Amino acid sequence: MASEEASGSPRRSRREPEGRAPRQDKYSVLLPTYNERENLPLIVWLLVKSFSESGIDYEIIIIDDGSPDGTRDVAEQLEKIYGSDKILLRPREKKLGLGTAYIHGMKHATGNYIIIMDADLSHHPKFIPEFIRKQKEGNFDIVSGTRYKGNGGVYGWDLKRKIIRLYRKEVLQKLIEKCVSKGYVFQMEMIVRARQLKYTIGEVPISFVDRVYGESKLGGNEIVSFLKGLLTLFATT
């Protein structure tokens, strides 16, 4: 479900009190993982490269849900390679759902902006600086990737895939409080709630690529849960 740029009266920029130097923006990437041993080193390298080349302050929070393939071991090695100030492993014992993974990651985020994305390389980190430029350009509360505008494209991608998004931290916190979904419908619900709360939403056209390694984490039962969640969402909003 593609988001749309909200219309309405211009928002005032959030300003620092006079006499205080503006705080440098910091971006916390929430990266939930489950059986991403092969993909994780590459997505982290691409994220670090994109942020470093753009001079952006960042941290990457890996939320592994007890992956049996050794993803956690790989994350621990990445933490040693890049430093625990940049790579933060915050694992959970078992698979508890995408929504709760974001809630868990938020507790450890120190950035004033949050980026949520998948670890399976369906979203290329090269688009993140464009998300940041878009947010600053329109002072948006949320910036969402879309394949329906401009130069966005899709390669081996289906409608079950998740969408990369950038949020003001306080906006994401408020949305999480409002959301009731815990699975893959969580991200869609957040955009619906954002519109209800009149948050502004910018869009950036990006290309989506299906999984590089491994199988889709959406099994038959999860697809049924996803569809039930959509029905519930539309029935209650």
Side-chain angles (χ1 to χ4, degrees):
M1 181 172 172
S3 61
E4 300 173 356
E5 293 187 16
S7 60
S9 58
R11 298 175 61 87
R12 292 183 179 179
S13 300
R14 291 163 172 79
R15 301 180 183 277
E16 293 287 336
E18 288 188 21
R20 182 185 299 178
R23 174 188 174 185
Q24 181 182 3
D25 291 327
K26 182 176 181 179
Y27 297 83
S28 299
V29 179
L30 303 187
L31 208 60
T33 59
Y34 188 78
N35 288 347
E36 298 289 359
R37 179 185 176 91
E38 290 90 356
N39 288 323
L40 188 59
L42 183 52
I43 191 70
V44 167
W45 180 79
L46 288 169
L47 282 165
V48 170
K49 182 175 185 288
S50 180
F51 284 126
S52 299
E53 289 179 351
S54 302
I56 297 167
D57 192 15
Y58 72 95
E59 64 185 3
I60 302 167
I61 302 172
I62 301 170
I63 307 113
D64 185 62
D65 275 3
S67 299
D69 73 338
T71 298
R72 179 171 175 172
D73 294 334
V74 171
E76 288 173 350
Q77 290 300 313
L78 292 170
E79 197 172 36
K80 292 177 183 176
I81 292 168
Y82 294 104
S84 57
D85 60 325
K86 294 300 183 186
I87 309 295
L88 291 75
L89 174 59
R90 298 295 182 264
R92 304 190 295 177
E93 291 303 313
K94 59 182 180 179
K95 198 174 182 182
L96 297 170
L98 186 65
T100 59
Y102 292 138
I103 293 169
H104 181 73
M106 280 279 291
K107 294 176 182 176
H108 304 282
T110 61
N112 55 325
Y113 288 93
I114 305 292
I115 296 169
I116 60 175
M117 62 185 300
D118 203 358
D120 64 7
L121 293 167
S122 55
H123 319 116
H124 198 297
K126 69 181 180 181
F127 295 106
I128 288 177
E130 193 171 340
F131 275 60
I132 293 171
R133 284 193 295 272
K134 184 71 173 182
Q135 189 281 321
K136 292 184 182 302
E137 171 190 299
N139 197 28
F140 292 110
D141 296 310
I142 302 166
V143 177
S144 179
T146 175
R147 66 188 182 110
Y148 298 108
K149 294 184 71 174
N151 298 318
V154 56
Y155 305 94
W157 193 85
D158 61 59
L159 291 176
K160 299 191 295 292
R161 302 310 310 163
K162 297 181 290 300
I163 297 174
I164 184 172
R165 291 204 176 99
L166 182 152
Y167 296 83
R168 294 184 190 275
K169 186 176 184 179
E170 68 272 17
V171 168
L172 183 56
Q173 287 173 326
K174 182 66 69 176
L175 291 174
I176 284 175
E177 291 172 6
K178 296 285 185 182
C179 289
V180 297
S181 305
K182 300 300 179 188
Y184 281 81
V185 75
F186 185 81
Q187 287 199 40
M188 187 176 291
E189 181 180 358
M190 283 199 291
I191 286 297
V192 172
R193 304 294 181 196
R195 287 178 177 146
Q196 290 177 335
L197 295 170
K198 309 299 184 186
Y199 288 128
T200 54
I201 305 169
E203 290 185 343
V204 171
I206 65 173
S207 297
F208 297 81
V209 179
D210 206 357
R211 299 182 58 81
V212 175
Y213 297 107
E215 298 297 325
S216 172
K217 296 187 286 292
L218 272 180
N221 290 336
E222 288 175 305
I223 292 172
V224 171
S225 296
F226 176 79
L227 294 174
K228 285 181 178 177
L230 286 182
L231 290 173
T232 301
L233 177 59
F234 288 124
T236 57
T237 57

